Amino acid sequence: MESKLNHQAIDAYSKALAKQLSQSFFSNSSHISGKEILELSPNKQINLMVLKNLFKKWKKENAKLQSPYFDYHSDEVKKAMKDFMNTLSRHIYVKKEHFEPLLKESIKDSVLLAFSPYDFYSKEINQRDDSRLRLSDLKDLKKYIKFNDFLLDGLIEHFESHKEDVVFNDTAFEMFNEVCSNSEEQPADIQPLLAEFSKTLPLSLADIYLEEEKEEKGMLNEKLQTKEKQTLADKLAKSGGKSMMKMLTLNQRFMFVNELFEGNQNQFLSAVEQIDGMESYKEASSHIKKSFADKYNWDMETEEVQEFIELVEKRFGK
């Protein structure tokens, strides 16, 4: 189960922020240039994302200009086209009616990158017109990413280590999921990112993630009851010798931080480290109830808690 994004609220926030930024800028100008885009918002990631999406749309439009009557693969033509595009890139000139929808899209992408990077990169992989992902695309994307770029770096490294220049989307997804599963690096801390977005328009976790309806709290789930003891060697053997941290997928990390630890990544990492250092499932389950379930008011019947407990069980070979 993955943490559910509140796409409707994210869309509304993106629309409102785009309108606010556009009205502020275009009250004194009829158009915006590339240099002005880079200074538009105090959130630099949004500004870079605007340029990324602008150039992506421009490349699509440029592809439509290619005629079947000319050789666009000629070295001379390719050089001329490159020179032409380089010249145009220094003369960005966008009016408000065209810029505001672009800005809204870019804000939405920036929110995804910040709070659900798996969804952001999956979207980037899936939006290829020819159903292929190229190493050059990934390196180009790298120029526009300010945070949570470790997944992108991992995917680039995967391409290079396997000597791949281009792969089909389904293969790219397999590679990306492998990168996510093997990554031990942590996503950017949520609170500073929320503060960065809120400089212009307030943003909270409630605007990003859907809140589950809570059932009436009961006793601790029976999964946390005492189970038979095993030796540490047996537990590690059954869990493949992995720590709980290494078992976590990227999306699970996001889900647990946001749904179970109130967005506090340091508390989550400390909790996992404590659980990994314990001798038995009984000790871990008792510690979870006393230190986390009660403190964060967990509903033990929710999918998030159940999934967390299942990981603890796997850690101790249950």
Side-chain angles (χ1 to χ4, degrees), residues 60-76:
K60 285 185 178 180
E61 292 175 357
N62 185 62
K64 293 177 183 177
L65 295 176
Q66 295 190 9
S67 166
Y69 304 113
F70 302 96
D71 181 9
Y72 284 84
H73 298 289
S74 161
D75 289 340
E76 188 178 357

Side-chain angles (χ1 to χ4, degrees), residues 41-273:
S41 165
N43 187 326
K44 301 305 180 186
Q45 181 57 74
I46 291 176
N47 303 337
L48 288 171
M49 199 69 77
V50 171
L51 289 178
K52 179 192 83 71
N53 288 333
L54 187 154
F55 284 122
K56 183 171 73 173
K57 291 179 184 297
W58 177 30
K59 286 180 180 178
K60 285 185 178 180
E61 292 175 357
N62 185 62
K64 293 177 183 177
L65 295 176
Q66 295 190 9
S67 166
Y69 304 113
F70 302 96
D71 181 9
Y72 284 84
H73 298 289
S74 161
D75 289 340
E76 188 178 357
V77 172
K78 286 196 288 187
K79 183 181 182 304
M81 290 294 292
K82 184 177 180 179
D83 291 342
F84 172 65
M85 293 182 75
N86 286 337
T87 301
L88 274 181
S89 68
R90 296 191 293 271
H91 294 80
I92 293 173
Y93 184 103
V94 191
K95 293 185 177 179
K96 181 182 178 181
E97 60 266 31
H98 298 121
F99 184 74
E100 192 168 323
L102 178 67
L103 179 57
K104 176 191 170 184
E105 177 189 355
S106 302
I107 293 169
K108 192 170 182 179
D109 285 345
S110 299
V111 171
L112 285 180
L113 174 62
F115 304 105
S116 188
Y118 182 89
D119 291 281
F120 171 78
Y121 288 117
S122 295
K123 179 171 173 262
E124 286 296 312
I125 293 172
N126 198 44
Q127 283 188 336
R128 302 293 151 181
D129 291 336
D130 60 354
S131 299
R132 291 172 175 84
L133 182 65
R134 294 167 175 79
L135 177 59
S136 59
D137 296 331
L138 298 175
K139 290 183 175 181
D140 189 53
L141 177 61
K142 173 76 176 172
K143 296 184 294 187
Y144 303 103
I145 304 299
K146 281 184 62 67
F147 44 70
N148 286 331
D149 57 351
F150 66 96
L151 293 175
L152 179 57
D153 290 337
L155 190 53
I156 290 173
E157 184 179 337
H158 200 302
F159 265 72
E160 291 177 337
S161 64
H162 288 76
K163 301 188 184 327
E164 299 281 8
D165 289 320
V166 57
V167 298
F168 284 102
N169 279 5
D170 54 352
T171 302
F173 272 116
E174 290 175 6
M175 295 167 71
F176 179 59
N177 284 326
E178 185 177 340
V179 168
C180 292
S181 298
N182 293 333
S183 176
E184 295 184 10
E185 196 166 339
Q186 299 300 318
D189 193 25
I190 287 174
Q191 295 305 324
L193 292 177
L194 283 174
E196 185 74 12
F197 279 90
S198 298
K199 286 179 180 178
T200 308
L201 185 68
L203 179 67
S204 69
L205 287 178
D207 297 318
I208 302 166
Y209 301 104
L210 289 169
E211 292 185 6
E212 299 276 351
E213 288 187 12
K214 301 290 184 182
E215 299 177 1
E216 188 176 346
K217 283 197 71 178
M219 299 292 290
L220 265 179
N221 188 276
E222 59 185 16
K223 285 178 178 283
L224 284 180
Q225 301 306 310
T226 304
K227 295 192 177 183
E228 293 182 8
K229 230 178 191 181
Q230 292 176 301
T231 67
L232 185 58
D234 287 338
K235 296 167 195 167
L236 290 176
K238 289 186 179 180
S239 67
K242 292 183 178 179
S243 69
M244 185 174 168
M245 180 58 73
K246 290 184 178 179
M247 294 178 186
L248 287 164
T249 66
L250 183 74
N251 267 21
Q252 283 176 325
R253 293 182 206 179
F254 269 92
M255 177 176 69
F256 294 148
V257 167
N258 295 315
E259 303 294 341
L260 303 185
F261 291 85
E262 298 179 352
N264 192 320
Q265 185 167 257
N266 290 333
Q267 284 289 331
F268 166 69
L269 294 175
S270 176
V272 173
E273 185 177 351

